[in-house]
Amino acid sequence: MAPRQTMLRILALPLRRPAPSASVPLRPTPRIMTYYHFQLNRPQPSLTTNTKSTSFLPEGGVVNWVQLKAADTWSGFGKSKDGSWQLKLFQYGERLIDRIDFEELALKSVDPSLGPTISHPDISREEKPLVKIPLVYPPSILSGESSIAHLKSLVEHRTPRHRKMFWVFLIAAPLTAPFMIIPIIPNIPFFFCVWRSWSHYRAYRASEYLQSLLDKDAVVPTANKDLDRIYQDYAPKALPAPTPHSTVTPQPPFSDQLLLTREGIPQIRATFDLGSTAESDMYRAVEQARVREKV
């Protein structure tokens, strides 16, 4: 269990290759849609029977305790009786999570204590030992240069977006106070605003932390043959070739190309020793890559 907690690594998982523009042949080819799985969390303190905590705070900190408590409560909603409002809320919430951008889900998985705070956004001057973090990618699909360029583009785009949406939902939360007069059920709009604000806050802090790593050249592109083999084994099947009697003139493939199927995700999880949450996020990313109209 320890290696999963202490591993520092970023997995670049290409999902879909956009088609070249048929109307504008000289237009640069858009970047490949890529899902990044971040393994950048702090190692958890080891628990021993001989050590006793003298602090009244929960082990791992208050924030971690609140997150675990909320996760347990939410999981309990999923085990509620059929027809109960808890189960209906859980089912609706899971569908809502499926619609959240997979980029946000990936960023918010990073330990928020690693990033800056809203009041102290500059962490670039902090003097810490420089650690090289491998950016693992399949070399038959991505290059080291393209993988790091896309990650930089992702961070630049996501940082202002998540900072803005954090404030939007935080300000909107008090406006849901009138719903508190409704008996029996909790103030769902309030909890939704708080949850979305916290989610964007975590994504913002993660993107700022990643920016500091990129500025210090701490992220190193690293080709991985095992990941490349998975992409070759589980690549979506190509369209059938035209028949010899076809009168249609062959044309370049001007349609998007999916690069990873759901069947390859369990193999990625097993190869890189990932958790069940990572597997769920990868399934969501693959499904979103399939249905998104634009990259």
Side-chain angles (χ1 to χ4, degrees), residues 3-226:
R4 181 179 298 174
Q5 295 177 340
T6 58
M7 171 67 70
L8 293 176
R9 178 174 59 191
I10 302 175
L11 299 181
L13 305 177
L15 302 176
R16 193 175 80 179
R17 177 184 288 114
S21 175
S23 58
V24 188
L26 298 180
R27 183 180 179 182
T29 303
R31 291 190 179 97
I32 294 176
M33 182 186 293
T34 304
Y35 169 77
Y36 291 94
H37 175 69
F38 302 102
Q39 293 178 278
L40 302 175
N41 294 329
R42 296 184 187 274
Q44 298 295 326
S46 57
L47 300 177
T48 61
T49 55
N50 297 329
T51 57
K52 294 183 179 180
S53 175
T54 58
S55 174
F56 63 90
L57 296 177
E59 188 71 32
V62 176
V63 173
N64 186 60
W65 179 83
V66 171
Q67 292 183 78
L68 293 176
K69 198 70 175 178
D72 290 341
T73 302
W74 183 252
S75 177
F77 280 9
K79 301 175 183 177
S80 302
K81 299 185 301 182
D82 290 341
S84 64
W85 67 264
Q86 292 96 333
L87 181 59
K88 292 180 179 179
L89 180 61
F90 175 83
Q91 293 171 341
Y92 177 78
E94 286 297 302
R95 290 195 297 268
L96 185 63
I97 294 175
D98 289 339
R99 301 185 63 177
I100 295 177
D101 292 347
F102 67 78
E103 295 91 344
E104 177 184 338
L105 294 174
L107 287 170
K108 67 190 279 295
S109 67
V110 178
D111 187 348
S113 65
L114 296 173
T117 62
I118 292 294
S119 58
H120 299 86
D122 187 9
I123 62 173
S124 59
R125 298 181 180 179
E126 294 185 7
E127 295 295 334
K128 294 183 179 180
L130 186 59
V131 177
K132 296 296 183 181
I133 300 176
L135 173 59
V136 179
Y137 66 91
S140 66
I141 301 176
L142 297 175
S143 65
E145 181 181 356
S146 64
S147 62
I148 199 76
H150 183 275
L151 180 58
K152 290 180 179 179
S153 176
L154 172 71
V155 170
E156 292 173 358
H157 172 70
R158 285 279 158 179
T159 299
R161 169 181 171 83
H162 292 305
R163 180 184 175 92
K164 174 184 176 182
M165 296 309 297
F166 158 71
W167 286 112
V168 167
F169 281 103
L170 186 65
I171 295 173
L175 303 180
T176 63
F179 289 94
M180 297 179 63
I181 63 176
I182 302 178
I184 302 177
I185 63 175
N187 187 353
I188 295 176
F190 171 78
F191 288 109
F192 172 79
C193 290
V194 171
W195 168 60
R196 292 301 290 131
S197 179
W198 174 243
S199 178
H200 282 291
Y201 181 58
R202 292 195 61 165
Y204 158 73
R205 296 187 68 175
S207 60
E208 283 288 318
Y209 174 61
L210 287 169
Q211 185 63 63
S212 70
L213 294 177
L214 293 169
D215 291 342
K216 297 176 182 177
D217 295 325
V219 180
V220 182
T222 306
N224 188 281
K225 294 182 179 179
D226 293 333

